[in-house]
Amino acid sequence: MTDKFTQSKLDRCISCGYCLPACPTYQLTGDEQSSPRGRITLMRALQDGKMPFTDALEESSFCLGCRACEPVCPAGVEYGVLLEEWREISWQGKNRPLIVRGLFEAVKSKWRVRAMGVISPTARERKADPNLNLMMGCFERVLFPKVSRTVARIAPEVSITKNQGCCGALHAHNGELERGKEMAKELGEKLSGTILTTAGGCAAHLAAVIGNERVNEFSQWWSAQEKLLKPIEKNGKKIRIGFQDSCHLRNGLGIFKQPREILKSLGDYVEIPDASGCCGAAGSYSLLQRKNSRKVIAKKIEDIKDLNLDYVITVNPGCTRQLATSLRRSRVKTRVLHIAQLIEMAVN
Amino acid sequence: MSPAPNRDNQKLVDRLTALVGAEIVHGDAVALESYSRDATPLFHGLPEVVVTPRSTQEVEEIVKFAASTKTPIIARGAGSNLCAATVPLNGGIVLSMNKMNKILEVDRAQMLAVVQPGVTNQTLDETVAKEGLMFVPDPGSKNVSTIGGNVATSAGGLRGLKYGTTKNYILGLEVVTGTGEVIRTGSRMVKDVAGYDLTRLFVGSEGTLGIFTEITTILNPRPRAAKYGVAYFTDLAAASNAVDQVVRAGILPATMEFLDNPCILAVEEFAHLGLDTQAGALLLFGDDGEPDFIDAAVGKMAQIAAEVSGSRGVTLAADTAAADALLYARRCSLPALARLGTLSILEDISVPRPIMSDAVKGINEIGKKNQVLIGTFGHAGDGNLHPTIVVDKNDERAVHGAEKALKEIFEMALALGGTITGEHGVGSAKLPYLTARLGEGQMQLQRGIKSVFDPAGILNPGRLGS
């Protein structure tokens, strides 16, 4: 278990503050401690023993972990890694939120993850290309089983096995960094060749542990296949589509152009203001910080409403759930789908 | 550098809470630690309380309280300053102004804006752009830095040669002085010579004379077009020569920015623009105005840059997006340089432009002599250089070498008829060199001025005029 931050990573930050405008929680509060720069200042004080870790627990939880501060940081500070270390050090014992403990239990072993899929009909097992294996996700199995079934239909070359565990992103982001890395390695050994995933968050974590070359996020993979798609029409008009980035896919792996290119070929693509900004799902954040999660998405819901979209497309199950729930609560008719599901509408 | 007195702050927090309400008074350890730094390395100090006022009236009440209790007040915008002007080295109240962030008025007819101090440069410029106007001051950190901070440091930026700096654009201020009195200096008119120019005195006063609560600033018409190019040279001296030739040719370009080789490497690593990383120096040049006019001016600059000795080639940015990418990359020079070591100390000397190449050579020699890496970038058009010393903070020899190099750079700048800070300010970082720049007579006058505005000595104590 880590008990110290990696000093060289803390040293990278020169406190210039270029990250402030990119940070969703700083935008909410305007308080320095809710900014990436402020949080790194806190981490330094923790590292030097000037402050007990318990004092800063609240800020370690308030951070979405969206990593929007990373691409805008000229100094190249790896904030995401520092946050993982922070939670690894301080979210131990009674300081670990109950919900997180529950989630960890749910995905503890392969059979538990598999059991989650029993209640919902996910894709069937099959042997196709041995070097292209679908990652089933853990929570996606329960929440959105249609996504894996869709991928199975539109990508016949993909092999599918249900006997696989969680990738460990959940753990890495919630105070079990080492366990999270182990789980990613286990999954990397279980699935051979390229691992195809429909979850941007899982893609970024897996890639960070087992290497970028082993992991393909679905939109990234599809755009490389150069399969021609025809625009989708509704009542004789091209559908209006918006897109919500997956934070870790964009900020961690730099993938944001590919899904947009696909969507432009499928209909009338409209860029939602701040589409790259976190929707507030942020993995377990929407469960742990319900109020703040709602505050983060509020403006986005207004924007989507104003744009009068037919669909908002996502590339990560957490975002799908957050957007769908929030849009429903605000009585906005726009539907939320994973990009694979929209592609299937064009294929048919 | 000295730690703040570790006093029990509860009494202070309680009294301020009673005065202005708990919502804007923060006395917990996390808040105090968060406001213990600005963007200057090596300086750190804990405040006793952080207050985030929302109105002039709240500022007035806080200052009156501080004056009566002799509590230091350190006003702060985005905390992006580079001279430790906002680090609370003597405890006290950090007055974070960034929640007073409204644009109160944009007057198209009079070409001015009235804003609260916490508005960022970028927000103001983007807002007035919708009216076809431009907010001119353009500090490198404009996406985060506030107008209040601009005024406090008379911030410059990337287009000083043609447009000047903050001091040329502030028409009037609402200020809470050290006694808690609210005054309005200047007016909405370009011409107004009634009395001493207190507005100009407040500009660059680094929070030592008063707290700005409202700022009236000149706006310019937004130029219809802009064009930029990049020229590469064997070294900074060749680039300086090109700059000199351009100005001699009667061209007054908006932007002439240069980067030496370490800066080019660091920026390229961040921005991936395909810069010539073999070049000893890069010159980013450009102008804005009417399309025909800038075509001619930028064409002429490109020609001069290609013809001076030591030129390695010139390319013009294909479109606005490419130009913006170049400008943004230039703005990131300082933080990008931080990739090269664990401690980066940035300086801000200014010298008369025609002898800039002497300064550049001098900086290189100082770096070699003290065995430290110095990356230099700067505003070549106005002679403002940012030599940045990058070392490993655990290497004692290198840190010592950096300190020595710093001192020698200041001495060189003064010997060349230049100054110790062009646009970042004096703060705590350059205060030890201020007497050498101004002389004892002027220092005394500065102290006298401060005591008039702040008789209790509570406004950013230990800095200018203290």
Side-chain angles (χ1 to χ4, degrees):
Chain A
M1 199 190 83
T2 318
D3 59 357
K4 282 266 175 195
F5 293 100
T6 308
Q7 187 64 43
S8 60
K9 293 194 193 294
L10 282 182
D11 289 343
R12 262 297 173 91
C13 175
I14 60 160
S15 303
C16 66
Y18 282 27
C19 52
L20 267 53
C23 176
T25 56
Y26 181 75
Q27 292 310 314
L28 282 183
T29 67
D31 293 330
E32 181 69 22
Q33 56 267 46
S34 315
S35 74
R37 176 180 67 176
R39 291 187 175 110
I40 288 176
T41 298
L42 293 176
M43 292 181 207
R44 286 177 167 149
L46 298 169
Q47 179 90 330
D48 299 344
K50 286 193 234 158
M51 185 190 283
F53 274 85
T54 42
D55 270 15
L57 270 178
E58 198 181 320
E59 278 309 330
S60 74
S61 311
F62 184 34
C63 176
L64 290 149
C66 69
R67 296 167 65 187
C69 45
E70 287 188 42
V72 299
C73 175
V77 174
E78 294 169 78
Y79 179 86
V81 176
L82 287 168
L83 178 71
E84 286 173 356
E85 291 182 351
W86 191 3
R87 291 182 177 171
E88 166 104 339
I89 304 166
S90 54
W91 288 20
Q92 296 296 336
K94 64 177 172 48
N95 290 329
R96 175 167 297 159
L98 270 177
I99 293 173
V100 169
R101 291 186 221 175
L103 292 173
F104 282 178
E105 282 300 315
V107 299
K108 204 169 174 182
S109 58
K110 277 194 208 116
W111 72 263
R112 288 194 188 186
V113 173
R114 202 169 168 178
M116 290 168 78
V118 171
I119 47 166
S120 46
T122 52
R124 289 205 191 133
E125 300 231 2
R126 73 175 182 216
K127 284 196 175 111
D129 182 347
N131 286 317
L132 183 65
N133 280 285
L134 184 66
M135 194 192 120
M136 301 286 287
C138 34
F139 294 103
E140 192 175 65
R141 290 193 204 211
V142 188
L143 296 172
F144 306 108
K146 280 183 187 169
V147 173
S148 64
R149 294 205 318 262
T150 306
V151 173
R153 286 193 294 269
I154 61 178
E157 55 270 66
V158 180
S159 297
I160 300 169
T161 171
K162 291 195 178 185
N163 189 24
Q164 48 174 282
C166 165
C167 71
L170 173 72
H171 300 69
H173 303 153
N174 291 292
E176 281 285 351
L177 183 51
E178 290 311 314
R179 179 74 192 115
K181 284 180 184 168
E182 276 167 34
M183 291 171 89
K185 278 182 206 150
E186 281 165 25
L187 191 65
E189 281 159 21
K190 172 79 192 163
L191 303 178
S192 56
T194 302
I195 299 178
L196 185 66
T197 165
T198 47
C202 304
H205 173 68
L206 259 185
V209 181
I210 67 171
N212 283 10
E213 67 290 346
R214 287 283 320 273
V215 182
N216 261 213
E217 181 275 328
F218 183 79
S219 70
Q220 173 194 18
W221 178 79
W222 183 275
S223 68
Q225 306 308 307
E226 298 181 353
K227 301 186 183 185
L228 277 181
L229 295 171
K230 273 193 298 194
I232 306 164
E233 294 191 350
K234 191 174 136 189
N235 307 329
K237 267 169 56 185
K238 275 196 206 172
I239 53 167
R240 275 172 73 77
I241 324 168
F243 178 65
Q244 167 63 43
D245 276 294
S246 149
C247 293
H248 283 203
L249 189 63
R250 182 182 179 114
N251 304 324
L253 289 177
I255 295 169
F256 57 94
K257 288 185 186 145
Q258 295 92 324
R260 285 174 171 78
E261 270 155 29
I262 295 171
L263 295 178
K264 278 175 195 163
S265 72
L266 291 179
D268 186 3
Y269 176 75
V270 186
E271 180 79 11
I272 300 170
D274 198 29
S276 64
C278 184
C279 67
S284 54
Y285 193 89
S286 55
L287 304 173
L288 296 171
Q289 300 264 330
R290 288 170 61 109
K291 265 194 191 159
N292 289 324
S293 168
R294 286 189 189 187
K295 281 188 203 159
V296 171
I297 200 174
K299 166 93 176 28
K300 205 178 277 288
I301 296 300
E302 288 305 308
D303 288 338
I304 293 173
K305 196 173 166 183
D306 292 346
L307 288 173
N308 203 15
L309 300 171
D310 295 308
Y311 296 95
V312 179
I313 301 306
T314 64
V315 285
N316 189 58
C319 317
T320 313
R321 179 181 170 276
Q322 171 85 345
L323 282 162
T325 319
S326 306
L327 287 170
R328 206 180 310 128
R329 194 182 302 127
S330 304
R331 294 168 206 276
V332 181
K333 293 238 164 67
T334 302
R335 283 189 69 198
V336 186
L337 288 180
H338 187 275
I339 195 164
Q341 293 172 290
L342 196 72
I343 290 173
E344 187 175 39
M345 287 167 62
V347 172
N348 291 341
Chain B
M1 279 183 222
S2 61
N6 196 7
R7 270 180 275 172
D8 179 15
N9 66 350
Q10 198 53 52
K11 211 170 128 196
L12 181 60
V13 171
D14 289 345
R15 290 184 69 182
L16 278 166
T17 303
L19 193 66
V20 289
E23 208 184 317
I24 64 166
V25 178
H26 316 278
D28 59 290
V30 165
L32 302 185
E33 187 64 46
S34 303
Y35 291 85
S36 63
R37 292 172 196 270
D38 56 25
T40 323
L42 303 176
F43 288 86
H44 174 269
L46 285 181
E48 290 160 87
V49 61
V50 177
V51 186
T52 51
R54 294 156 300 195
S55 67
T56 305
Q57 200 198 333
E58 284 175 350
V59 175
E60 188 186 336
E61 285 173 25
I62 295 159
V63 174
K64 279 184 176 153
F65 166 80
S68 69
T69 55
K70 303 256 187 219
T71 312
I73 293 189
I74 301 94
R76 169 185 162 119
S80 54
N81 88 84
L82 296 158
C83 61
T86 59
V87 180
L89 296 178
N90 303 299
I93 303 166
V94 162
L95 202 62
S96 178
M97 303 300 288
N98 65 340
K99 291 186 185 177
M100 286 181 68
N101 61 356
K102 290 192 188 67
I103 296 172
L104 301 170
E105 187 189 347
V106 177
D107 185 336
R108 184 76 182 77
Q110 251 188 304
M111 306 280 281
L112 59 81
V114 183
V115 303
Q116 290 187 319
V119 177
T120 67
N121 282 279
Q122 183 128 337
T123 304
L124 179 56
D125 191 41
E126 282 173 5
T127 305
V128 303
K130 290 175 198 150
E131 308 272 329
L133 299 171
M134 168 167 77
F135 174 65
V136 179
D138 180 41
S141 56
K142 73 173 187 180
N143 67 336
V144 42
S145 55
T146 64
I147 309 296
N150 271 22
V151 177
T153 56
S154 190
L158 275 61
R159 39 195 188 208
L161 175 63
K162 176 170 164 181
Y163 287 109
T165 64
T166 302
K167 64 176 181 280
N168 305 106
Y169 293 89
I170 303 304
L171 285 174
L173 296 167
E174 182 187 78
V175 186
V176 180
T177 68
T179 57
E181 187 187 354
V182 183
I183 61 167
R184 295 191 77 95
T185 72
S187 61
R188 294 166 73 95
M189 281 96 56
V190 170
K191 288 189 176 176
D192 182 352
V193 291
Y196 291 133
D197 190 349
L198 295 187
T199 308
R200 189 84 176 234
L201 181 59
F202 279 114
V203 175
S205 62
E206 300 184 10
T208 60
L209 301 181
I211 313 287
F212 316 132
T213 47
E214 202 182 287
I215 295 154
T216 305
T217 174
I218 295 173
L219 301 171
N220 272 19
R222 203 161 191 88
R224 287 212 299 145
K227 199 165 184 178
Y228 292 88
V230 176
Y232 295 98
F233 303 90
T234 49
D235 54 26
L236 274 186
S240 308
N241 186 21
V243 171
D244 212 31
Q245 299 288 329
V246 166
V247 180
R248 279 174 201 276
I251 303 170
L252 195 64
T255 294
M256 298 269 256
E257 295 290 314
F258 66 11
L259 280 75
D260 70 359
N261 181 265
C263 297
I264 299 172
L265 289 171
V267 165
E268 178 61 21
E269 196 188 315
F270 165 62
H272 310 295
L273 293 171
L275 304 177
D276 174 1
T277 51
Q278 303 293 312
L282 174 162
L283 181 70
L284 169 60
F285 58 93
D287 203 3
D288 53 14
E290 290 300 304
D292 291 350
F293 176 81
I294 61 162
D295 272 347
V298 175
K300 180 78 181 157
M301 282 191 265
Q303 190 196 338
I304 292 171
E307 284 169 3
V308 297
S309 118
S311 172
R312 284 173 59 98
V314 180
T315 50
L316 291 180
D319 50 31
T320 321
D324 286 348
L326 283 169
L327 284 165
Y328 182 67
R330 157 60 193 87
R331 289 179 189 284
C332 294
S333 305
L334 164 66
L337 269 171
R339 291 166 181 261
L340 306 178
T342 51
L343 175 62
S344 337
I345 304 173
L346 165 77
E347 274 324 319
D348 174 40
I349 59 167
S350 231
V351 296
R353 195 191 46 248
I355 53 168
M356 198 167 53
S357 59
D358 294 345
V360 164
K361 279 181 206 148
I363 291 167
N364 278 338
E365 281 161 21
I366 291 170
K368 272 191 202 128
K369 200 178 106 193
N370 294 291
Q371 299 175 340
V372 288
L373 171 68
I374 306 185
T376 298
F377 60 96
H379 314 292
D382 52 40
N384 183 198
L385 301 172
H386 296 313
T388 305
I389 308 177
V390 189
V391 296
D392 173 2
K393 67 172 189 175
N394 298 315
D395 179 347
E396 267 180 52
R397 189 213 56 77
V399 173
H400 180 67
E403 282 163 6
K404 252 184 95 222
L406 264 184
K407 188 161 176 283
E408 289 172 21
I409 289 172
F410 287 134
E411 285 163 0
M412 177 199 69
L414 292 175
L416 289 172
T419 185
I420 57 171
T421 175
E423 58 179 7
H424 294 166
V426 176
S428 289
K430 274 158 274 185
L431 202 58
Y433 306 95
L434 190 61
T435 309
R437 167 73 181 88
L438 296 181
E440 191 47 49
Q442 272 202 64
M443 288 295 280
Q444 262 192 40
L445 275 172
Q446 301 238 341
R447 285 192 281 271
I449 290 169
K450 173 155 171 76
S451 69
V452 170
F453 287 89
D454 177 24
I458 54 161
L459 297 177
N460 214 357
R463 299 206 163 94
L464 285 184
S466 298

